[in-house]
Amino acid sequence: MKSQIRWLCGIDGCRGGWVIARAAADFSNLNFEVEPELDAIFARAGIDSLIAIDIPIGVPDNEPRVCDAAARQLLRWPRSSS
């Protein structure tokens, strides 16, 4: 039996834990929420969900990443700190 993606979830870290943008696969019914625990997001998601998490991997300890500096320059104020 082939599973069908019904829900899309985009997750990013925030001060309260994780902000989630959730929508039906056709991008209808978009809503946002904050969940303090990442485990709870996965517990609620079913097999019919596609989840994407924005987590930097391999971030240098003492220097900015080249891609971050380029994005800040491109975005400029007030979005350069996003």
Side-chain angles (χ1 to χ4, degrees):
M1 183 162 111
K2 184 178 177 182
S3 68
Q4 183 178 4
I5 302 299
R6 293 183 53 211
W7 296 101
L8 305 172
C9 300
I11 303 172
D12 198 3
C14 68
R15 287 186 183 169
W18 301 90
V19 63
I20 308 147
R22 185 171 191 252
D26 65 358
F27 294 100
S28 65
N29 301 323
L30 176 64
N31 64 62
F32 296 89
E33 61 184 285
V34 174
E35 172 60 53
E37 299 294 327
L38 188 59
D39 291 345
I41 299 168
F42 288 104
R44 282 197 333 253
I47 194 168
D48 58 351
S49 298
L50 176 68
I51 300 173
I53 305 176
D54 180 17
I55 298 177
I57 298 173
V59 178
D61 289 334
N62 299 323
E63 58 189 58
R65 296 184 304 172
V66 173
C67 62
D68 290 336
R72 285 186 182 96
Q73 185 177 15
L74 179 68
L75 292 173
R76 301 179 195 256
W77 187 91
R79 302 300 304 166
S80 60
S81 64
S82 295

